[in-house]
Amino acid sequence: MAGFLDRAKEQAQSALEQGKQKVDEVQQQRAGNDLLKKLGTAYYAEHSGSGSPETTRNALSALEAHIRAHGDAFLRS
């Protein structure tokens, strides 16, 4: 009986870790999508005359930093 409970506990821990990992991935994808949207907004504002090149550069830098830290998988989803 103890062996069964130990295996069940291990499986539960594994499932919990997988769930946490998936939540982290989703949060990283959302953050990447938000940064991509901010870049698009900044670019549009700059080219329509209401934004600045500095804002666009800052948005691009933030997106590039996110990609370096978390990868670019969110761009393919």
PDB file of all heavy atoms in Angstrom, residues 12-28:
ATOM      1  N   ALA A  12       1.440  12.879  -8.893  1.00  0.00           N
ATOM      2  CA  ALA A  12       0.771  14.152  -8.602  1.00  0.00           C
ATOM      3  C   ALA A  12       1.771  15.306  -8.636  1.00  0.00           C
ATOM      4  O   ALA A  12       1.476  16.369  -9.185  1.00  0.00           O
ATOM      5  CB  ALA A  12       0.080  14.093  -7.249  1.00  0.00           C
ATOM      6  N   GLN A  13       2.955  15.084  -8.072  1.00  0.00           N
ATOM      7  CA  GLN A  13       3.997  16.120  -8.091  1.00  0.00           C
ATOM      8  C   GLN A  13       4.412  16.417  -9.526  1.00  0.00           C
ATOM      9  O   GLN A  13       4.605  17.574  -9.903  1.00  0.00           O
ATOM     10  CB  GLN A  13       5.221  15.679  -7.267  1.00  0.00           C
ATOM     11  CG  GLN A  13       4.991  15.680  -5.785  1.00  0.00           C
ATOM     12  CD  GLN A  13       4.948  17.085  -5.209  1.00  0.00           C
ATOM     13  OE1 GLN A  13       4.409  18.016  -5.794  1.00  0.00           O
ATOM     14  NE2 GLN A  13       5.528  17.225  -4.046  1.00  0.00           N
ATOM     15  N   SER A  14       4.567  15.385 -10.316  1.00  0.00           N
ATOM     16  CA  SER A  14       4.951  15.556 -11.719  1.00  0.00           C
ATOM     17  C   SER A  14       3.885  16.341 -12.479  1.00  0.00           C
ATOM     18  O   SER A  14       4.197  17.251 -13.250  1.00  0.00           O
ATOM     19  CB  SER A  14       5.162  14.196 -12.370  1.00  0.00           C
ATOM     20  OG  SER A  14       5.457  14.333 -13.732  1.00  0.00           O
ATOM     21  N   ALA A  15       2.635  15.999 -12.265  1.00  0.00           N
ATOM     22  CA  ALA A  15       1.534  16.707 -12.926  1.00  0.00           C
ATOM     23  C   ALA A  15       1.489  18.163 -12.486  1.00  0.00           C
ATOM     24  O   ALA A  15       1.261  19.065 -13.305  1.00  0.00           O
ATOM     25  CB  ALA A  15       0.203  16.022 -12.619  1.00  0.00           C
ATOM     26  N   LEU A  16       1.742  18.414 -11.229  1.00  0.00           N
ATOM     27  CA  LEU A  16       1.762  19.776 -10.715  1.00  0.00           C
ATOM     28  C   LEU A  16       2.876  20.582 -11.362  1.00  0.00           C
ATOM     29  O   LEU A  16       2.669  21.730 -11.787  1.00  0.00           O
ATOM     30  CB  LEU A  16       1.924  19.770  -9.190  1.00  0.00           C
ATOM     31  CG  LEU A  16       1.924  21.121  -8.487  1.00  0.00           C
ATOM     32  CD1 LEU A  16       0.591  21.831  -8.717  1.00  0.00           C
ATOM     33  CD2 LEU A  16       2.189  20.951  -7.012  1.00  0.00           C
ATOM     34  N   GLU A  17       4.061  19.996 -11.479  1.00  0.00           N
ATOM     35  CA  GLU A  17       5.190  20.675 -12.119  1.00  0.00           C
ATOM     36  C   GLU A  17       4.892  20.965 -13.594  1.00  0.00           C
ATOM     37  O   GLU A  17       5.202  22.044 -14.099  1.00  0.00           O
ATOM     38  CB  GLU A  17       6.469  19.850 -11.982  1.00  0.00           C
ATOM     39  CG  GLU A  17       7.044  19.856 -10.593  1.00  0.00           C
ATOM     40  CD  GLU A  17       7.415  21.249 -10.103  1.00  0.00           C
ATOM     41  OE1 GLU A  17       7.971  22.032 -10.872  1.00  0.00           O
ATOM     42  OE2 GLU A  17       7.113  21.548  -8.928  1.00  0.00           O
ATOM     43  N   GLN A  18       4.291  20.007 -14.281  1.00  0.00           N
ATOM     44  CA  GLN A  18       3.934  20.211 -15.682  1.00  0.00           C
ATOM     45  C   GLN A  18       2.912  21.333 -15.816  1.00  0.00           C
ATOM     46  O   GLN A  18       2.978  22.149 -16.735  1.00  0.00           O
ATOM     47  CB  GLN A  18       3.396  18.923 -16.301  1.00  0.00           C
ATOM     48  CG  GLN A  18       4.451  17.883 -16.528  1.00  0.00           C
ATOM     49  CD  GLN A  18       3.872  16.570 -17.030  1.00  0.00           C
ATOM     50  OE1 GLN A  18       2.653  16.361 -17.035  1.00  0.00           O
ATOM     51  NE2 GLN A  18       4.740  15.666 -17.452  1.00  0.00           N
ATOM     52  N   GLY A  19       1.960  21.370 -14.900  1.00  0.00           N
ATOM     53  CA  GLY A  19       0.955  22.429 -14.915  1.00  0.00           C
ATOM     54  C   GLY A  19       1.574  23.789 -14.687  1.00  0.00           C
ATOM     55  O   GLY A  19       1.244  24.763 -15.375  1.00  0.00           O
ATOM     56  N   LYS A  20       2.495  23.873 -13.745  1.00  0.00           N
ATOM     57  CA  LYS A  20       3.178  25.140 -13.477  1.00  0.00           C
ATOM     58  C   LYS A  20       3.980  25.590 -14.694  1.00  0.00           C
ATOM     59  O   LYS A  20       3.994  26.767 -15.038  1.00  0.00           O
ATOM     60  CB  LYS A  20       4.104  25.006 -12.271  1.00  0.00           C
ATOM     61  CG  LYS A  20       3.385  24.957 -10.945  1.00  0.00           C
ATOM     62  CD  LYS A  20       4.383  24.831  -9.794  1.00  0.00           C
ATOM     63  CE  LYS A  20       3.695  24.726  -8.456  1.00  0.00           C
ATOM     64  NZ  LYS A  20       4.662  24.568  -7.349  1.00  0.00           N
ATOM     65  N   GLN A  21       4.645  24.631 -15.335  1.00  0.00           N
ATOM     66  CA  GLN A  21       5.439  24.944 -16.516  1.00  0.00           C
ATOM     67  C   GLN A  21       4.541  25.478 -17.638  1.00  0.00           C
ATOM     68  O   GLN A  21       4.878  26.449 -18.312  1.00  0.00           O
ATOM     69  CB  GLN A  21       6.197  23.708 -16.982  1.00  0.00           C
ATOM     70  CG  GLN A  21       7.144  23.975 -18.134  1.00  0.00           C
ATOM     71  CD  GLN A  21       7.923  22.727 -18.516  1.00  0.00           C
ATOM     72  OE1 GLN A  21       7.480  21.597 -18.289  1.00  0.00           O
ATOM     73  NE2 GLN A  21       9.081  22.929 -19.101  1.00  0.00           N
ATOM     74  N   LYS A  22       3.401  24.867 -17.830  1.00  0.00           N
ATOM     75  CA  LYS A  22       2.470  25.308 -18.866  1.00  0.00           C
ATOM     76  C   LYS A  22       1.942  26.707 -18.564  1.00  0.00           C
ATOM     77  O   LYS A  22       1.840  27.549 -19.463  1.00  0.00           O
ATOM     78  CB  LYS A  22       1.311  24.317 -19.002  1.00  0.00           C
ATOM     79  CG  LYS A  22       0.370  24.624 -20.123  1.00  0.00           C
ATOM     80  CD  LYS A  22       1.069  24.557 -21.466  1.00  0.00           C
ATOM     81  CE  LYS A  22       0.105  24.812 -22.586  1.00  0.00           C
ATOM     82  NZ  LYS A  22       0.763  24.896 -23.880  1.00  0.00           N
ATOM     83  N   VAL A  23       1.630  26.985 -17.302  1.00  0.00           N
ATOM     84  CA  VAL A  23       1.168  28.321 -16.908  1.00  0.00           C
ATOM     85  C   VAL A  23       2.252  29.346 -17.211  1.00  0.00           C
ATOM     86  O   VAL A  23       1.971  30.422 -17.748  1.00  0.00           O
ATOM     87  CB  VAL A  23       0.765  28.347 -15.420  1.00  0.00           C
ATOM     88  CG1 VAL A  23       0.590  29.770 -14.915  1.00  0.00           C
ATOM     89  CG2 VAL A  23      -0.516  27.561 -15.209  1.00  0.00           C
ATOM     90  N   ASP A  24       3.508  29.023 -16.887  1.00  0.00           N
ATOM     91  CA  ASP A  24       4.615  29.937 -17.173  1.00  0.00           C
ATOM     92  C   ASP A  24       4.740  30.195 -18.671  1.00  0.00           C
ATOM     93  O   ASP A  24       4.950  31.335 -19.103  1.00  0.00           O
ATOM     94  CB  ASP A  24       5.937  29.377 -16.640  1.00  0.00           C
ATOM     95  CG  ASP A  24       6.036  29.428 -15.126  1.00  0.00           C
ATOM     96  OD1 ASP A  24       5.240  30.158 -14.495  1.00  0.00           O
ATOM     97  OD2 ASP A  24       6.916  28.727 -14.577  1.00  0.00           O
ATOM     98  N   GLU A  25       4.600  29.143 -19.474  1.00  0.00           N
ATOM     99  CA  GLU A  25       4.681  29.299 -20.927  1.00  0.00           C
ATOM    100  C   GLU A  25       3.579  30.217 -21.440  1.00  0.00           C
ATOM    101  O   GLU A  25       3.823  31.091 -22.281  1.00  0.00           O
ATOM    102  CB  GLU A  25       4.585  27.938 -21.614  1.00  0.00           C
ATOM    103  CG  GLU A  25       5.797  27.073 -21.449  1.00  0.00           C
ATOM    104  CD  GLU A  25       5.594  25.674 -22.012  1.00  0.00           C
ATOM    105  OE1 GLU A  25       4.582  25.436 -22.726  1.00  0.00           O
ATOM    106  OE2 GLU A  25       6.434  24.805 -21.731  1.00  0.00           O
ATOM    107  N   VAL A  26       2.375  30.025 -20.957  1.00  0.00           N
ATOM    108  CA  VAL A  26       1.249  30.854 -21.386  1.00  0.00           C
ATOM    109  C   VAL A  26       1.473  32.306 -20.979  1.00  0.00           C
ATOM    110  O   VAL A  26       1.236  33.233 -21.764  1.00  0.00           O
ATOM    111  CB  VAL A  26      -0.082  30.311 -20.821  1.00  0.00           C
ATOM    112  CG1 VAL A  26      -1.221  31.298 -21.017  1.00  0.00           C
ATOM    113  CG2 VAL A  26      -0.419  28.971 -21.464  1.00  0.00           C
ATOM    114  N   GLN A  27       1.968  32.523 -19.760  1.00  0.00           N
ATOM    115  CA  GLN A  27       2.235  33.889 -19.315  1.00  0.00           C
ATOM    116  C   GLN A  27       3.318  34.543 -20.159  1.00  0.00           C
ATOM    117  O   GLN A  27       3.217  35.727 -20.499  1.00  0.00           O
ATOM    118  CB  GLN A  27       2.629  33.895 -17.832  1.00  0.00           C
ATOM    119  CG  GLN A  27       1.472  33.608 -16.916  1.00  0.00           C
ATOM    120  CD  GLN A  27       1.887  33.483 -15.463  1.00  0.00           C
ATOM    121  OE1 GLN A  27       3.047  33.195 -15.146  1.00  0.00           O
ATOM    122  NE2 GLN A  27       0.932  33.684 -14.566  1.00  0.00           N
ATOM    123  N   GLN A  28       4.356  33.789 -20.527  1.00  0.00           N
ATOM    124  CA  GLN A  28       5.413  34.324 -21.378  1.00  0.00           C
ATOM    125  C   GLN A  28       4.879  34.651 -22.770  1.00  0.00           C
ATOM    126  O   GLN A  28       5.251  35.672 -23.365  1.00  0.00           O
ATOM    127  CB  GLN A  28       6.573  33.337 -21.462  1.00  0.00           C
ATOM    128  CG  GLN A  28       7.338  33.210 -20.168  1.00  0.00           C
ATOM    129  CD  GLN A  28       8.335  32.069 -20.197  1.00  0.00           C
ATOM    130  OE1 GLN A  28       8.569  31.435 -21.224  1.00  0.00           O
ATOM    131  NE2 GLN A  28       8.926  31.782 -19.049  1.00  0.00           N
TER     132      GLN A  28
END
